[in-house]
């Protein structure tokens, strides 16, 4: 499906893709000439698109929620390689800059990151002083369709053992079937957070917080709500199963609507880490509004 | 079975509290209790006792679904009582209860159950099973005690854990013989006749069930037994008063103790059932907020990440399949 540079294109620049070779952790650049475009879609969502410049076909079209993804340089590579990473999933997409000169690489990357955090981010270009929301995409990609291949394209880069190690940590998630997003920093499970061992001391040290839980207890308990009842509930197999079930659902990243009902922003539904961040942010706000609290 | 084939019947826990709640909904004055022993004293304490339910699941791998099964008894294709096939797997618990209730003479029931039983008179087991499974009111009563689908997990394509469904077999007396009603078998199974003396049908039931348990290799089976019996509560109060008036202290104390235990058990069931019906997402969020407000959340998250890391490493070391959820 051809994607043209339209008014809804926030920025675009020449870039190729790189892929992990099957059965190994080596990432190899694909020589196809392409472009990365960031656009505001008809669906009101931010799209990260990779288009093949020779066929004019968009071969990747990723929808990105604010703060979920980052676009960072893979420092340990010879080439100008960048990786698009998500906090809500294990997805990794590798790209390499194809513009003749590397002078503007950082500029493009910083703008991409800015927009990934916030689609309203004002783009900053080195040449023009005042920033505007629609930066000159034409400047980036279409000055000549025949790029100066020998200089721009360095297809294929071989990673040294140290570089391989680094790539391995990024890629292990892609190889593993479930569980840790990165081998070094696995994601927490709500089941391990909401343990009686963690909760019981809280109830003892902050008894004033226990009644805040009462509205969320089952309405048809055969006894009135109390701290003892809360203790019984958090120990119960039914509650523990519900925590595991919610944990599993949250990992799908699809709970944007449900978390809004909890008074959290939609991004909180993208995964465990975004959810916990949003909860902490809300708690901090409420603490401030209440005039501060002693924290342990 | 796919979700569509489960026809909206959700998987429920096989817990006496869950069964008893279903019986209440059906308007039947019976309860279900755990049975820890088949000896005559234990069974005598539970009288009047109407049926025994044997539930089991395979734990040994490599065994086929059928297994040894019962070695005694014969199929009775002309069984005149109530016997229905299990048409939907998730409905197995409710189906077993109905196979028992449908054969208890003069049982008081609510109007819907009464209609269902009489409507199915003369039907073959398969048709009867389909009729039961299509009864919306029954399915709703059954589903009440499974977790609410505020988060509908079916549409999210989550990896399925191995199913923990038990299989249920009912043993009860019908027209002078012990019958075994198994919704997965083509017909009711007739074991021997029994004499009304002494323990009556329970003696035969004990022999048949114990023989069955002994046919399974050691450790290959997880099972439990349930008893379907009259609800003792309504009559306990009057029995206590009678004992008081007769000046029978010993009996009075014994009955009071029974009453106390029975009430404690009902409270536990009511507590667990209220948890089963409840959507806990709000509570999960509220608890995390309590942790966050008291500054304990990030520490807990960090510890949880470590725990996950250790778990993953241990699994890798054991060479286990990473697809299994924890």
């Amino acid at each position: 499906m051809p994607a043209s540079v339209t008014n809804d294109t926030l920025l675009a620049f020449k870039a190729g893709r790189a892929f992990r070779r099957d059965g190994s952790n080596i990432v190899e650049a694909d020589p196809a000439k392409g472009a990365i475009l960031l656009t505001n879609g008809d669906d009101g969502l931010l799209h990260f698109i990779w288009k093949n410049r020779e066929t004019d076909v968009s071969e990747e079209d990723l929808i990105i929620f604010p703060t979920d993804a980052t676009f960072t340089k893979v420092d340990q590579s010879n080439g100008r390689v960048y990786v698009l990473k998500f906090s809500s999933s294990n997805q990794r997409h590798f790209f390499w800059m194809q513009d003749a000169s590397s002078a503007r690489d950082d500029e493009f990357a910083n703008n991409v990151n800015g927009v990934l955090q916030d689609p309203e981010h004002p783009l900053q270009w080195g040449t023009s002083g005042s920033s505007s929301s629609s930066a000159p995409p034409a400047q980036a990609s279409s000055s000549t369709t025949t790029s100066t291949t020998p200089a721009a394209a360095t297809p294929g880069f071989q990673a040294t053992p140290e570089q391989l190690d680094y790539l391995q940590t990024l890629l292990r998630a892609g190889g593993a079937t479930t569980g840790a997003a990165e081998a070094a920093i696995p994601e927490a499970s709500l089941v391990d957070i909401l343990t009686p061992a963690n909760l019981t001391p809280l109830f003892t040290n902050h008894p004033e917080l226990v009644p805040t839980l009462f509205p969320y207890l089952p309405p048809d308990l055969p006894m009135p709500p109390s701290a003892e009842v809360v203790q019984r509930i958090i120990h119960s197999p039914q509650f523990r199963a519900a925590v595991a079930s919610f944990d599993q659902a949250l990992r799908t990243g699809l709970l944007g609507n449900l978390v809004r009902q909890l008074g959290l922003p939609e991004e909180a539904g993208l995964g465990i880490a975004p959810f916990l961040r949003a909860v902490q942010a809300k708690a901090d706000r409420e603490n401030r509004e209440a005039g501060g609290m002693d924290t342990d | 079975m796919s979700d569509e084939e489960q026809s909206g019947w959700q998987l429920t826990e096989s817990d006496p509290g869950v069964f008893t709640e279903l019986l209440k909904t059906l308007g039947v004055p019976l309860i279900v209790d755990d049975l820890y022993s088949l000896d005559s004293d234990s069974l005598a304490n539970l009288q009047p006792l109407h049926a025994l339910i044997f539930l089991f699941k395979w734990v040994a791998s490599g065994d086929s679904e059928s297994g040894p099964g019962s070695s005694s008894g014969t199929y009775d294709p002309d069984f005149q009582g109530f016997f229905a096939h299990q048409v939907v797997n998730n409905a197995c618990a409710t189906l077993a209860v109905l196979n028992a209730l449908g054969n208890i003479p003069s049982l008081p029931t609510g109007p819907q159950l009464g209609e269902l039983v009489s409507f199915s008179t003369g039907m073959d087991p398969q048709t009867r099973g389909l009729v039961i499974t299509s009864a919306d009111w029954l399915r709703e009563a059954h589903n009440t005690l499974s977790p609410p689908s505020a988060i509908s997990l079916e549409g999210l394509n989550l990896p399925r854990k191995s199913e923990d469904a038990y299989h249920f077999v009912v043993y009860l007396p019908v027209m002078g013989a012990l019958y075994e009603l198994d919704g997965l078998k083509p017909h009711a199974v007739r074991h021997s006749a029994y004499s009304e003396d002494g323990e009556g049908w329970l003696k035969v039931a004990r022999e048949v069930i114990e023989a069955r348990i002994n046919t399974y290799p050691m450790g290959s089976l997880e099972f439990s037994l349930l008893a379907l019996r009259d609800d003792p509560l309504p009559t306990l109060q009057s029995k206590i008063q009678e004992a008081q008036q007769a000046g029978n202290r010993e009996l009075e104390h014994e009955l009071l103790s029974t009453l106390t235990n029975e009430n404690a058990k009902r409270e536990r069931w009511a507590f667990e059932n209220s948890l089963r019906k409840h959507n806990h997402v709000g509570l999960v969020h509220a608890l995390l907020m309590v942790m966050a407000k008291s500054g304990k959340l990030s520490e807990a998250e960090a510890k949880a990440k470590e725990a996950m890391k250790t778990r993953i490493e241990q699994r890798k070391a054991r060479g286990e399949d990473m697809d299994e959820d924890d």
Side-chain angles (χ1 to χ4, degrees):
Chain A
M1 176 185 75
S4 47
V5 174
T6 68
N7 288 341
D8 289 327
T9 304
L10 299 171
L11 66 125
F13 52 92
K14 292 185 202 153
R17 294 182 299 180
F19 300 101
R20 183 167 69 99
R21 196 201 290 160
D22 260 1
S24 83
N25 282 320
I26 295 177
V27 170
E28 286 171 322
D30 181 284
K33 296 180 198 145
I36 287 175
L37 294 90
L38 256 62
T39 68
N40 274 326
D42 288 343
D43 47 13
L45 299 168
L46 180 69
H47 288 247
F48 183 108
I49 293 170
W50 185 83
K51 183 182 84 154
N52 183 314
R53 275 185 284 133
E54 281 161 323
T55 63
D56 213 40
V57 170
S58 291
E59 294 181 23
E60 298 260 41
D61 185 346
L62 304 164
I63 290 177
I64 313 238
F65 291 105
T67 76
D68 188 41
T70 54
F71 188 74
T72 46
K73 184 155 190 195
V74 177
D75 280 327
Q76 290 89 329
S77 70
N78 285 336
R80 296 141 60 193
V81 179
Y82 290 78
V83 61
L84 180 69
K85 273 199 291 190
F86 294 85
S87 59
S88 63
S89 78
N90 303 336
Q91 284 188 78
R92 302 280 184 271
H93 298 265
F94 292 87
F95 301 92
W96 55 284
M97 296 299 199
Q98 287 177 333
D99 211 51
S101 154
S102 62
R104 302 189 67 200
D105 285 358
D106 284 339
E107 197 180 353
F108 288 136
N110 288 338
N111 279 314
V112 169
N113 262 320
V115 172
L116 291 180
Q117 293 301 301
D118 173 15
E120 309 287 312
H121 173 85
L123 298 169
Q124 276 138 25
W125 304 106
T127 49
S128 60
S130 60
S131 51
S132 66
S133 55
S134 53
Q139 222 175 320
S141 66
S142 65
S143 37
T144 65
T145 46
T146 58
S147 58
T148 52
T149 315
T154 44
F157 62 95
Q158 290 294 304
T160 65
E162 299 76 49
Q163 291 161 0
L164 267 182
D165 257 345
Y166 175 75
L167 282 174
Q168 215 159 14
T169 43
L170 290 181
L171 291 167
R172 197 167 295 156
T177 46
T178 92
E182 293 173 13
I185 319 169
E187 208 170 41
S189 165
L190 292 182
V191 172
D192 294 322
I193 291 177
L194 289 173
T195 59
N198 281 342
L199 291 168
T200 303
L202 276 196
F203 300 153
T204 314
N205 296 334
H206 296 277
E208 72 285 359
L209 287 177
V210 172
T212 63
L213 301 170
F214 291 173
Y216 304 99
L217 302 184
D220 56 351
L221 286 170
M223 67 281 279
S226 68
E228 290 70 40
V229 170
V230 172
Q231 286 279 38
R232 263 180 88 177
I233 291 176
I234 64 174
H235 281 90
S236 73
Q238 291 79 20
F239 175 72
R240 307 215 58 72
V243 173
S245 172
F246 183 63
D247 178 88
Q248 205 183 19
L250 201 48
R251 281 165 197 279
T252 64
L254 299 170
L255 294 192
N257 279 330
L258 188 142
V259 301
R260 287 221 307 264
Q261 292 166 36
L262 297 171
L264 297 171
E266 195 168 334
E267 303 83 72
L270 292 175
I272 304 280
F275 184 75
L276 294 175
R277 275 201 300 274
V279 166
Q280 187 66 59
K282 184 163 169 242
D284 292 342
R285 223 171 25 245
E286 287 181 14
N287 272 349
R288 278 197 301 276
E289 282 159 12
M293 260 195 71
D294 292 330
T295 60
D296 296 323
Chain B
M1 252 188 192
S2 71
D3 286 328
E4 301 92 276
E5 286 162 359
Q6 300 288 9
S7 312
W9 289 77
Q10 317 222 353
L11 197 59
T12 56
E13 287 177 65
S14 346
D15 181 89
V18 173
F19 280 111
T20 301
E21 185 71 17
L22 178 69
L23 290 170
K24 205 166 21 169
T25 312
L26 296 174
V28 167
L30 304 180
I31 68 166
V32 170
D33 264 324
D34 277 318
L35 192 55
Y36 297 108
S37 159
L38 282 173
D39 69 54
S40 39
D41 286 339
S42 306
L43 293 180
N45 279 338
L46 299 172
Q47 290 283 20
L49 178 51
H50 299 284
L52 300 180
I53 304 177
F54 177 63
L55 15 48
F56 64 98
K57 65 174 169 171
W58 301 107
V59 295
S61 57
D63 282 350
S64 71
E65 277 296 319
S66 45
S70 58
S71 45
S72 62
T74 54
Y75 281 138
D76 182 356
D78 299 320
F79 180 61
Q80 296 301 304
F82 184 99
F83 173 60
H85 281 164
Q86 181 177 306
V87 168
V88 169
N89 284 345
N90 281 357
C92 50
T94 297
L95 182 95
V97 167
L98 253 53
N99 271 337
L101 298 179
N103 291 303
I104 299 174
S106 317
L107 177 72
T109 76
Q112 285 161 317
L113 180 60
E115 271 167 36
L116 183 65
V117 172
S118 55
F119 176 67
S120 71
T121 310
M123 285 182 181
D124 65 272
Q126 183 69 13
T127 309
R128 199 182 269 117
L130 288 168
V131 163
I132 287 174
T133 308
S134 359
D136 289 339
W137 66 270
L138 185 61
R139 189 188 66 237
E140 280 163 25
H142 167 100
N143 285 344
T144 316
L145 287 167
S146 58
S149 35
I151 313 175
S152 167
L153 296 182
E154 279 91 38
L156 295 177
N157 286 323
L158 294 170
R160 284 204 175 279
K161 279 175 123 125
S162 50
E163 281 297 285
D164 276 304
Y166 276 94
H167 184 48
F168 296 79
V169 178
V170 174
Y171 291 91
L172 83 173
V174 185
M175 294 176 299
L178 177 73
Y179 272 87
E180 171 191 327
L181 303 178
D182 179 342
L184 291 182
K185 290 197 169 150
H187 306 289
V189 175
R190 186 184 188 281
H191 293 274
S192 66
Y194 60 90
S195 105
E196 291 289 353
D197 302 334
E199 290 188 284
W201 70 277
L202 286 172
K203 182 161 181 296
V204 178
R206 178 191 302 118
E207 285 161 11
V208 168
I209 292 173
E210 282 179 352
R212 178 173 193 157
I213 291 171
N214 289 333
T215 63
Y216 299 114
M218 279 275 284
S220 69
L221 200 73
E222 253 181 52
F223 70 91
S224 58
L225 286 166
L226 301 175
L228 181 65
R229 57 187 283 235
D230 276 2
D231 184 350
L233 273 183
T235 53
L236 263 177
Q237 254 332 109
S238 52
K239 283 190 186 157
I240 289 171
Q241 275 167 357
E242 271 169 32
Q244 276 169 349
Q245 276 153 17
N248 188 340
R249 282 285 155 121
E250 198 184 311
L251 180 60
E252 186 193 340
H253 286 146
E254 198 184 300
L255 290 170
L256 277 171
S257 164
T258 304
L259 180 62
T260 308
N261 290 341
E262 198 63 33
N263 280 333
K265 185 177 71 186
R266 303 306 168 100
E267 197 203 65
R268 184 168 47 86
W269 285 351
F271 176 73
E272 288 166 1
N273 283 342
S274 82
L275 291 183
R276 286 180 181 110
K277 291 188 272 194
H278 187 59
N279 180 346
H280 293 267
V281 173
L283 181 58
V284 166
H285 172 246
L287 284 166
L288 290 171
M289 286 293 289
V290 166
M291 290 182 83
K293 283 186 175 178
S294 45
K296 294 299 189 191
L297 183 58
S298 33
E299 179 189 323
E301 188 182 356
K303 270 185 356 204
K305 285 181 181 176
E306 275 305 307
M308 182 63 86
K309 186 172 158 204
T310 310
R311 205 174 284 137
I312 290 170
E313 281 163 8
Q314 283 171 350
R315 274 194 189 144
K316 278 210 182 119
R318 293 198 297 258
E320 274 171 24
D321 185 355
M322 293 278 293
D323 272 333
E324 279 299 295
D325 283 327
D326 194 46

